Amino acid sequence: MTDKSLLSPEELAEFMKSEPCVIIDTRDPESYAAGHIPGAVDMHDIFTYLATSSADGVAELRHKFAEEFGAAGLSGEETAVIYEQSMATGFGQSCRGYFLLQYLGYPKVKVLHGGFAAWEAAGLPVSADAVAPTPKTFPVSETGADLMLDVADMMDAIKTDDIVKLDVRDIDEWIAESSSPYGKDFCPRKGRIPGAKWIEWYRMMKPTATGPMIKSKPEILAECASVGITPETPVYLYCFKGARASNTYLALKEAGVKDVKIYFGSWNEWSRDPELPIEEGLPY
């Protein structure tokens, strides 16, 4: 098996035969119950959990997901393979799980490229059986701790052009018409982190016969070049709560961009503090 993080359905089916792995379904419980990859466990709050970057918020996040990933059966020996419905229908929620595991220092993480839709399209087995995993002790590590940024990191980054602050939210959020995917006024303020560049997260993917797939390395680097990002450029990502940013994180890392981090609290946190600066109105 290669070191790549994205597995096709066919690659995953073969991988499951030869390697210990824990398959994690990030969809809602109803979708999971209707049919899932055989043996998969459901962990929908990979998507729903709203994090803050305060010391207490980070400690809570680390404890919560170390407990949940351990309960799912991850001990460090198994490869975690995470999926959603497709790469675009869940706002990148499988990639959010990928990022959380990297942040917690887990050594073996993959994402099912194309998600459950691609798995079904490949004619691979589907099960509706409930799964009771054997709990393990999850090996929390500090090796990925610097991948997650806090407010102070972003404030420092605003002061320099050497770091690209990359907003990957949908266009209505970027142009300050909406505050979130949950409604225009879900957050108290609309706008952008000052100095941010913008690549809508969808641009990291392209349509295929089995649904949206992350673009090739040359295609991703071409998108990056449009806002001045090279493989050597430090990139600080944000969206609303870290899911779309995680989709972009995985795309950039697969394309060889070396220094990519996420402000995981993202707009949900930043917009709620009136002391933090924002750019409002149209970005042109």
Side-chain angles (χ1 to χ4, degrees), residues 5-274:
S5 297
L6 292 165
L7 296 181
S8 71
E10 294 80 5
E11 288 172 329
L12 175 56
E14 287 301 311
F15 189 67
M16 291 166 68
K17 296 175 184 177
S18 59
E19 298 291 336
C21 55
V22 172
I23 314 298
I24 297 174
D25 187 322
T26 64
R27 299 174 302 157
D28 62 79
E30 294 76 20
S31 298
Y32 172 81
H36 50 262
I37 294 175
V41 297
D42 190 38
M43 199 181 297
H44 186 50
D45 55 2
I46 280 175
F47 176 59
T48 59
Y49 184 80
L50 293 176
T52 61
S53 65
S54 67
D56 287 346
V58 169
E60 180 183 332
L61 178 145
R62 290 179 70 85
H63 175 75
K64 172 185 173 58
F65 284 105
E67 290 284 316
E68 288 204 29
F69 286 129
L74 290 174
S75 70
E77 296 300 318
E78 305 81 10
T79 298
V81 183
I82 310 181
Y83 71 91
E84 55 191 289
Q85 181 61 30
S86 77
M87 301 309 291
T89 54
F91 290 96
Q93 66 195 58
S94 60
C95 303
R96 195 179 199 243
Y98 173 88
F99 177 78
L100 282 169
L101 281 163
Q102 285 216 325
Y103 166 67
L104 292 171
Y106 198 75
K108 304 175 184 179
V109 193
K110 308 286 186 185
V111 170
L112 174 58
H113 202 189
F116 187 68
W119 179 271
E120 283 194 301
L124 291 164
V126 172
S127 172
D129 294 340
V131 175
T134 301
K136 305 283 181 66
T137 299
F138 184 84
V140 177
S141 162
E142 294 293 326
T143 58
D146 66 347
L147 294 175
M148 191 176 293
L149 305 165
D150 61 17
V151 168
D153 294 323
M154 294 304 290
M155 285 295 292
D156 288 342
I158 288 172
K159 302 170 187 174
T160 176
D161 293 331
D162 294 336
I163 298 169
V164 172
K165 285 70 67 181
L166 188 61
D167 186 325
V168 301
R169 296 174 300 163
D170 291 10
I171 190 168
D172 58 344
E173 296 163 85
W174 169 248
I175 65 173
E177 284 189 356
S178 177
S179 71
S180 84
Y182 299 98
K184 288 191 172 185
D185 298 310
F186 184 83
C187 292
R189 299 192 292 171
K190 305 179 184 74
R192 301 163 296 283
I193 291 177
K197 306 290 187 181
W198 179 65
I199 299 178
E200 193 171 25
W201 71 293
Y202 293 111
R203 282 170 52 190
M204 294 298 164
M205 296 175 285
K206 61 182 178 182
T208 74
T210 53
M213 298 289 184
I214 289 178
K215 290 177 176 177
S216 68
K217 176 178 179 177
E219 291 167 332
I220 292 167
L221 292 179
E223 296 287 1
C224 289
S226 70
V227 294
I229 294 172
T230 74
E232 307 299 324
T233 307
V235 181
Y236 286 7
L237 295 166
Y238 76 94
C239 57
F240 173 71
K241 64 176 183 182
R244 291 169 289 180
S246 295
N247 179 287
T248 307
Y249 170 86
L250 178 53
L252 295 187
K253 296 302 290 183
E254 289 288 277
V257 181
K258 297 174 183 177
D259 185 2
V260 188
K261 300 177 182 179
I262 298 181
Y263 170 45
F264 207 68
S266 282
W267 195 251
N268 180 61
E269 178 179 51
W270 192 273
S271 67
R272 297 183 190 280
D273 184 346

